[in-house]
Amino acid sequence: MAEACGFATSIASSTRSNPNLRPLAVSRPQLQTFYKPLNTRRSPALTKRLCVRCESASQKLNSIDKEELKRSSAMALAQLKASAMDRYTKIKSSIVVIGLNVHTAPVDVREKLAIQEAQWPQAISELCALNHIEEAAVLSTCNRMEVYVVALSQHRGVKEVTEWMSKISGVSVTELCQHRFMLFNNDATRHLFEVASGLDSIVLGEGQILAQVKQVKKLGQGVDGFNKKIGGLFEHAIITGKRVRTETNISSGSVSVSSAAVELASMKLPESSYATTRVLVIGAGKMGKLVIKHLAAKGCKEMVVVNRTEDKVAVIREELKDIQIIYKPLSEMMACAAEADVIFTSTASDSPLFLKEHVKTLPVDTEMGRRLFIDISVPRNVGPCVSDLETAEVYNVDDLKDIVEANKEDRLRKAMEAQTIISEELQHFEAWKDSLEAVPTIKKLRAYLERIRASEMDKCLSKMGDVTDKQKKAIYDLSMGMMKKFLHGPMQHLRCDGRSDCQKPEEMLEIMHAVNRMFDLETEIILETVRTKMERIKK
């Protein structure tokens, strides 16, 4: 039968080599007829010898299989380590920002993602519990919700953070992907520096965002996950924001009609101050409310507000508890105007509230010399004929728009100057961040050599037998001296402490990777990262 199988195999191989040959259609019974098995009987001794030979051959094969299995297992382990190196050491961890802001998403989406300040620490802990996130911070304001992370893998990190954002907000991943933006490393750092400088705000150069960035750092301190890199990132962002505002004065100059109205009026006052000025605001709608808030910011402590009803005035009074806001109905408008030095008008009236014949009868303060009307309404609340009076000075919304546009152009010029400062601070941050890359290598190299020193010293002392304390100290000092001298060269090249001959970041990183490879330190660094992740998950 074995011969039959060999014959069939030879036919098959011949057919493959020569396609013109076709095998005969031979059935199994026919093969059995042509090739009958030999019916030979073996003697017991021969059978025994054959069994011994088979067992010996089987043992040899088993031993070969075991050796092959060991070799293959070792190769698999090496490949696993290599893949881990590729994932976590050859490719450095990345700084990533994933978020939505006023430029990318509507308010109905942003409001679902908003996180209260009190919940920021919890959000950091939840983000750092994700598999590929080492550090995290959350910046959530009315105009933006941005998550800053240090990710072990860019692709996996973005995926995990996006899924987390979907989970806390109820917004689907698909919808989030339509509105989110993502930036990596230098681009992510530059974005935060621009945010802190007010360059990414609706009002260019506004100051509130810097206070919010400071709050992120304040609340993050002491939270596990707001660590060296993220903490340093926000610290450098705060430094950048302060420099931009100090060196460019970008926040000066009004860029809204309401703020321009208040600023223009203050320029026309005798002492450029609202401290002793009698102020009247007519209209408590959206624009009127903004005027009142800007007046309060400029130091006006008392004002009269004329409106059809008291409801809106009461709301504003509740928000500005330190300011004395006196409500008067519309029927008392002229009486209030007679006692005012500056009048702001912002109503939706179709016809003028003040005409020439109304204003010329109003008494004028001798110090001011004339009454100031700032009309930000369209249609105008102050008739153009009022400006003909020597006792009145009138400014309308077109006058204010010229001021606003001029200030906007000035801020754009200052924003260009700010970019130079941001680029400088970006270089400082990158140099600082690169120096951090060497810290694990320095620690692991020192620990590696310390283990060797201690082990060799123990071996030496065990061979020497009884030795005095003085001899032990001499051997210890010798071993420590040798280790320090050996470490001096690598440490000098790995450290970057601001010396003039400090290595360039790319050279330092090249040396660091060489040291990691020579002493097989990368595996220990990976294990330490895994241990840290496991401890966070347990918490």
Side-chain angles (χ1 to χ4, degrees):
M1 189 67 188
E3 291 174 350
C5 292
F7 175 71
T9 304
S10 65
I11 290 174
S13 61
S14 299
T15 304
R16 283 193 299 269
S17 60
N18 189 350
N20 294 322
L21 290 176
R22 295 183 179 177
L24 295 172
V26 183
S27 66
R28 184 178 180 88
Q30 288 173 323
L31 282 173
Q32 289 178 344
T33 302
F34 292 139
Y35 295 95
K36 293 182 180 179
L38 295 173
N39 189 18
T40 56
R41 291 185 178 180
R42 295 170 182 166
S43 65
L46 178 61
T47 302
K48 185 176 180 180
R49 285 198 302 273
L50 288 172
C51 289
V52 170
R53 286 177 185 175
C54 290
E55 186 177 353
S56 175
S58 176
Q59 288 175 350
K60 286 181 180 179
L61 286 171
N62 286 336
S63 64
I64 292 171
D65 288 344
K66 287 178 182 178
E67 290 298 324
E68 185 65 28
L69 183 62
K70 285 182 181 179
R71 282 197 296 271
S72 64
S73 298
M75 288 175 65
L77 182 61
Q79 289 173 354
L80 181 61
K81 285 183 178 180
S83 67
M85 300 299 178
D86 285 336
R87 286 175 62 190
Y88 298 115
T89 58
K90 289 182 181 178
I91 300 175
K92 295 191 299 180
S93 59
S94 303
I95 292 177
V96 184
V97 56
I98 305 134
L100 300 88
N101 59 32
V102 70
H103 307 298
T104 67
V107 66
D108 58 325
V109 176
R110 297 199 312 274
E111 65 187 5
K112 293 176 184 176
L113 287 150
I115 300 175
Q116 299 298 320
E117 284 187 7
Q119 297 175 328
W120 289 358
Q122 180 185 345
I124 292 171
S125 300
E126 289 179 6
L127 285 162
C128 290
L130 302 174
N131 290 335
H132 294 86
I133 303 301
E134 286 185 299
E135 303 180 33
V138 174
L139 176 60
S140 181
T141 72
C142 57
N143 288 329
R144 65 187 71 247
M145 193 288 189
E146 298 175 357
V147 177
Y148 293 83
V149 297
V150 175
L152 294 170
S153 164
Q154 286 186 6
H155 174 72
R156 293 180 178 90
V158 167
K159 182 175 182 292
E160 290 172 356
V161 172
T162 304
E163 289 173 351
W164 175 82
M165 291 169 73
S166 175
K167 179 182 175 183
I168 65 165
S169 65
V171 180
S172 68
V173 171
T174 304
E175 188 175 0
L176 282 175
C177 291
Q178 291 173 357
H179 298 292
R180 76 178 179 188
F181 70 91
M182 299 176 293
L183 295 169
F184 304 95
N185 298 316
N186 278 19
D187 292 334
T189 304
R190 179 177 286 277
H191 173 74
L192 180 58
F193 287 7
E194 289 177 350
V195 168
S197 302
L199 303 189
D200 195 58
S201 301
I202 297 175
V203 178
L204 192 64
E206 61 97 1
Q208 187 179 4
I209 187 64
L210 180 59
Q212 291 164 331
V213 171
K214 288 179 181 178
Q215 191 69 0
V216 172
K217 184 175 183 295
K218 180 181 178 182
L219 294 177
Q221 288 176 339
V223 178
D224 187 24
F226 192 87
N227 296 338
K228 195 82 173 179
K229 283 185 182 177
I230 286 292
L233 173 65
F234 275 80
E235 178 64 32
H236 280 78
I238 293 166
I239 291 169
T240 304
K242 287 179 178 177
R243 274 195 66 192
V244 167
R245 283 169 174 79
T246 303
E247 297 178 26
T248 68
N249 204 21
I250 192 170
S251 57
S252 65
S254 301
V255 289
S256 68
V257 170
S258 55
S259 61
V262 174
E263 186 174 330
L264 175 62
S266 68
M267 292 166 58
K268 300 294 180 179
L269 296 175
E271 297 178 1
S272 297
S273 171
Y274 284 101
T276 58
T277 304
R278 299 174 297 174
V279 176
L280 171 63
V281 179
I282 301 174
K286 182 179 179 181
M287 294 298 290
K289 183 178 180 180
L290 289 172
V291 167
I292 294 168
K293 286 187 173 182
H294 286 300
L295 283 167
K298 282 287 185 179
C300 183
K301 298 297 183 182
E302 182 180 343
M303 66 189 80
V304 176
V305 178
V306 171
N307 198 54
R308 283 193 177 89
T309 62
E310 193 177 359
D311 296 345
K312 291 183 178 180
V313 180
V315 172
I316 298 170
R317 190 188 290 126
E318 187 65 26
E319 290 183 26
L320 304 172
K321 294 181 179 179
D322 296 334
I323 310 301
Q324 186 177 356
I325 300 174
I326 303 166
Y327 166 74
K328 294 292 182 179
L330 203 58
S331 58
E332 298 183 27
M333 181 185 69
M334 284 300 171
C336 294
E339 298 177 359
D341 300 319
V342 181
I343 301 172
F344 295 90
T345 60
S346 60
T347 76
S349 175
D350 294 330
S351 58
L353 301 179
F354 293 95
L355 295 172
K356 188 174 181 179
E357 54 269 26
H358 300 143
V359 177
K360 69 181 180 181
T361 60
L362 299 177
V364 179
D365 183 82
T366 53
E367 186 180 357
M368 284 280 292
R370 58 179 63 192
R371 182 171 281 101
L372 192 60
F373 288 88
I374 310 292
D375 184 7
I376 60 175
S377 304
V378 179
R380 286 178 288 181
N381 289 165
V382 181
C385 55
V386 176
S387 59
D388 296 335
L389 297 171
E390 292 183 0
T391 57
E393 190 173 351
V394 182
Y395 294 92
N396 60 37
V397 72
D398 287 345
D399 300 319
L400 298 174
K401 281 182 178 178
D402 291 339
I403 297 171
V404 168
E405 289 304 318
N407 287 337
K408 282 183 178 178
E409 289 179 10
D410 184 53
R411 288 200 180 193
L412 286 172
R413 285 193 296 271
K414 290 173 179 176
M416 297 294 288
E417 297 173 20
Q419 288 295 347
T420 303
I421 296 171
I422 288 171
S423 295
E424 290 175 7
E425 291 299 330
L426 186 60
Q427 288 181 352
H428 294 160
F429 173 74
E430 288 300 319
W432 172 82
K433 184 166 66 72
D434 287 337
S435 70
L436 293 181
E437 298 292 336
V439 172
T441 299
I442 291 172
K443 288 181 178 178
K444 294 301 175 185
L445 179 59
R446 190 185 293 276
Y448 174 79
L449 294 177
E450 171 57 25
R451 286 196 299 271
I452 294 174
R453 183 204 65 76
S455 174
E456 293 303 317
M457 181 177 167
D458 290 342
K459 288 179 185 177
C460 175
L461 292 174
S462 64
K463 289 178 181 178
M464 292 178 66
D466 294 334
V467 290
T468 65
D469 291 341
K470 186 176 180 180
Q471 289 172 326
K472 281 183 181 180
K473 186 178 183 307
I475 295 169
Y476 174 80
D477 290 343
L478 174 66
S479 65
M480 287 298 294
M482 292 176 67
M483 189 181 81
K484 286 178 180 177
K485 281 186 167 64
F486 183 82
L487 280 170
H488 177 71
M491 294 298 181
Q492 195 174 27
H493 286 84
L494 284 171
R495 283 194 178 121
C496 184
D497 52 8
R499 295 175 291 109
S500 58
D501 59 341
C502 180
Q503 298 286 337
K504 292 179 180 178
E506 58 271 19
E507 293 176 354
M508 186 183 68
L509 291 174
E510 187 176 344
I511 294 167
M512 181 191 73
H513 289 307
V515 171
N516 283 337
R517 287 193 298 271
M518 281 191 289
F519 297 101
D520 194 26
L521 303 178
E522 290 178 331
T523 305
E524 295 188 26
I525 294 171
I526 291 170
L527 290 174
E528 185 176 343
T529 302
V530 172
R531 279 195 295 270
T532 303
K533 291 295 295 181
M534 291 303 295
E535 288 172 4
R536 283 181 184 160
I537 291 169
K538 286 178 182 178
K539 289 179 183 179

